[in-house]
Each structure stands twice: as structure tokens, then as C-alpha cells.
Amino acid sequence: MTSMLAMHRFKLTGLLIMANTGLLLHLLAGEIKPVAGWDWLDIAGEGGSAILLLTWLGLLLKSRPAGYVTNLLFMGLACLFFSLFMDSVDEFVALPDAVTWDGWLESGPMPIGFILMTLGIFHWHQEQLAINEQMRNRERLFREHRQFDKLTPLGDANYLRTQLQLALGEAADKRQPVSLIMLDMDAFSRINREYGQAEGDRLLQVLTQLLLLNLRQHDLLCRLAGDRFVVILPHTGERQAQILAAELGDAVRSLAYKSSRHGERIELSASVVALMARDDATETLLQRLNIAMARAKQSLTVRYG
């Protein structure tokens, strides 16, 4: 696999040519200073800085793909390196007083380099903000994915509570009603007992698809536990929620579900209750819903013995 550094070889080649060209111009126009005339402090400071900038360039090109931001950062660092490199060469080569272009080579690229670096860092900052936002979204999706039911493609009880809290907050801000529907299969334990748990799991998967087909696009269906489901109904009053609940109950009773073992039809029914939130907290609302379901189940037991 081609390394990042190899992808930028033309940039490095161009910088090498420019540095060597500056060095040759100095050698052709002047003469090498005797060792006694060398200023070791300037050599260490300017030469060391040039080496560090060259190291930064290598790290930049090795870690980043080609692109607008990389080009800005490279050009900025290259200008700074070239300026310091010319300063270092000036410590070894003496130029005649008539030569003035050396000052341009030493000082001219410096402000240009700082401007390009500033632009590059600014765009790098914007780029990093976008990456951070994507990472936050991925982390949120991963966290929410862990709150989904393993059997059905629905959120579990924890996901339900999270989304219900958000829905209640949004409803309070917009002064819009929110209602809930709870659906609990009747005699589901008998199906597990007579046909096996695998059949019960299959039934829950089919039931999930049935409920989703009978809900609106903005409704949210979650599996609370076992064969009990809860639907969050945004912008929905209690009367409309009761109508939707009745439709879900009718859909379950009308489902011609066949067992996978012998293909016989299994008669199905479900207890369904609906209520509207009335300045309730999340847990209070769910508690009211559970109480309503318990009463519906008790009424069903009394009716059929």
C-alpha cells in the first residue's frame, strides 16, 4: 500500500529543488566563511529550527491525505523552512555588499508562511469540528443500537423511556398532546407452552411487522417486555389514540397466523389501552399505562373466567 509520504513526493521534491537552488545561488555569488567567523549560536538556533520544521513537514505529509488543507499547511511550513534554511546558509557563506536579494530569500517567505499556516490551521479546525460531529453521531447511534431488542427490530424498555422523555419535553415546548398505547397479547404463555418458545419468538416478529404496518410514520413502537408493546403517539389526543388502539386490536384478531409446525391457524387477541399524557413524568406516565393495562386484563379474566 502506498504510504501517505509517497503520495506527497512531488511536494517534497519541489521543496528540495528550491532549497538547493537557494544554496547554489549563495555559493555562486559569495564565498564560504572561515570557521572562525561562524556564529555557532545562530547556526544552532536557525539550523535547529529548520530541521524541526522539516520534521513537522514529514509528520504532516505522512499522516494526512492530499487536499486543500494539507496543501495550505505544507506551503506554510515550506515557506518557514526555506526562510530559516536561507538564514542558516548565510552563516556559512559571505556575500558581497552589492548583493541584496539574499534579504528577500531570508525574510520574504516568513510572513507568507505564517499567513498560509494560519489559513491551514483555521480550515483544519473546521475539518476537525466536522469530524467530531460525525464521531458524536456514531457514538450516539452505537449507544442507541445497544438499546434495541435482540429479537425484534424495536427499541427496548430503556430506549422507550429515553424517547418518551424527549417526546414529552418537545410536546411541552410546542404545547402539543402526546399519547401512549400499550398492547399485551392474551394467553401468550399458552402459545409458548403448546407450540414452543421458537414459535412464540416467531409470532412476536410477525406481530411486530403487523403493528408497524398499522401505525403512522411518526409513531414509535417499542417492545417493553415479553409480549408487551408500547407506542408513542406524538401530536395525538386521547380520542385519536383510542381509535388507533382499537385498530391495532382488530388487526391482531384478524391476523391469520399459521403455526410453523403443522400450519394450523392460531387464534390471537390482544388487550390494548390508550391514554394521553397530562403533565406526567416519564415513569408516572408508564405507571398509569400499566395500571390501565392491569384493569383491562382483570376485566378480561372476569369476562372469560
Side-chain angles (χ1 to χ4, degrees):
M1 182 178 179
T2 305
S3 67
M4 289 290 187
L5 202 57
M7 292 172 60
H8 300 285
R9 58 184 178 274
F10 295 112
K11 296 185 180 73
L12 293 172
T13 301
L15 179 59
L16 181 62
I17 291 173
M18 288 181 60
N20 285 327
T21 300
L23 176 61
L24 287 173
L25 288 174
H26 278 75
L27 293 175
L28 291 173
E31 58 183 17
I32 298 179
K33 295 178 181 180
V35 176
W38 292 359
D39 188 332
W40 291 102
L41 184 60
D42 284 349
I43 292 172
E46 295 165 358
S49 298
I51 292 173
L52 284 176
L53 283 169
L54 196 60
T55 303
W56 293 356
L57 276 168
L59 293 174
L60 170 72
L61 298 182
K62 189 175 182 180
S63 60
R64 283 190 59 87
Y68 178 68
V69 177
T70 301
N71 290 339
L72 283 175
L73 294 172
F74 172 81
M75 293 301 297
L77 288 173
C79 287
L80 297 178
F81 165 77
F82 183 80
S83 183
L84 287 171
F85 180 69
M86 291 296 98
D87 275 343
S88 301
V89 171
D90 190 54
E91 299 298 326
F92 298 97
V93 180
L95 295 174
D97 293 338
V99 174
T100 58
W101 48 259
D102 62 316
W104 287 97
L105 291 181
E106 295 171 9
S107 303
M110 186 71 71
I112 298 174
F114 278 118
I115 292 173
L116 292 174
M117 279 292 296
T118 302
L119 289 173
I121 291 173
F122 171 76
H123 287 290
W124 195 0
H125 171 70
Q126 297 297 112
E127 183 182 81
Q128 192 60 48
L129 289 178
I131 292 173
N132 290 344
E133 182 63 25
Q134 289 186 10
M135 293 301 293
R136 281 194 295 269
N137 290 337
R138 289 187 179 185
E139 189 274 335
R140 177 180 58 81
L141 289 173
F142 175 75
R143 184 176 63 251
E144 290 183 352
H145 179 73
R146 295 176 60 185
Q147 294 181 339
F148 274 68
D149 182 52
K150 301 298 185 293
L151 179 62
T152 64
L154 302 177
D156 61 11
N158 291 329
Y159 186 75
L160 169 66
R161 287 179 170 84
T162 300
Q163 296 304 312
L164 180 56
Q165 187 173 7
L166 293 174
L168 291 174
E170 182 180 355
D173 293 339
K174 297 182 178 179
R175 298 184 180 277
Q176 293 287 337
V178 175
S179 295
L180 293 183
I181 292 175
M182 178 176 284
L183 181 145
D184 191 299
M185 294 297 294
D186 298 329
F188 183 74
S189 58
R190 177 182 61 82
I191 297 174
N192 276 333
R193 184 173 61 255
E194 294 181 5
Y195 297 92
Q197 185 175 349
E199 188 68 55
D201 290 346
R202 176 172 171 265
L203 173 57
L204 290 176
Q205 292 170 344
V206 172
L207 184 64
T208 296
Q209 299 301 319
L210 175 70
L211 297 178
L212 290 172
L213 287 172
N214 284 273
L215 291 172
R216 302 165 301 181
Q217 187 173 4
H218 60 274
D219 298 332
L220 177 63
L221 175 66
C222 296
R223 184 186 179 199
L224 183 61
D227 58 322
R228 182 165 290 190
F229 299 84
V230 173
V231 187
I232 301 176
L233 306 170
H235 316 301
T236 305
E238 189 161 14
R239 177 57 183 162
Q240 189 177 5
Q242 290 172 348
I243 294 174
L244 291 171
E247 292 175 350
L248 292 181
D250 291 341
V252 173
R253 282 189 296 273
S254 301
L255 178 62
Y257 180 82
K258 306 295 193 302
S259 73
S260 57
R261 185 187 304 171
H262 300 296
E264 71 273 25
R265 178 173 178 175
I266 300 177
E267 297 292 335
L268 301 174
S269 65
S271 298
V272 190
V273 295
L275 55 81
M276 188 176 74
R278 305 182 186 278
D279 298 325
D280 297 295
T282 301
E283 292 302 326
T284 303
L285 185 56
L286 289 176
Q287 185 176 9
R288 284 179 54 207
L289 197 61
N290 279 314
I291 292 173
M293 177 56 72
R295 289 173 178 169
K297 286 290 188 182
Q298 184 177 16
S299 173
L300 183 68
T301 301
V302 171
R303 188 182 310 169
Y304 296 101

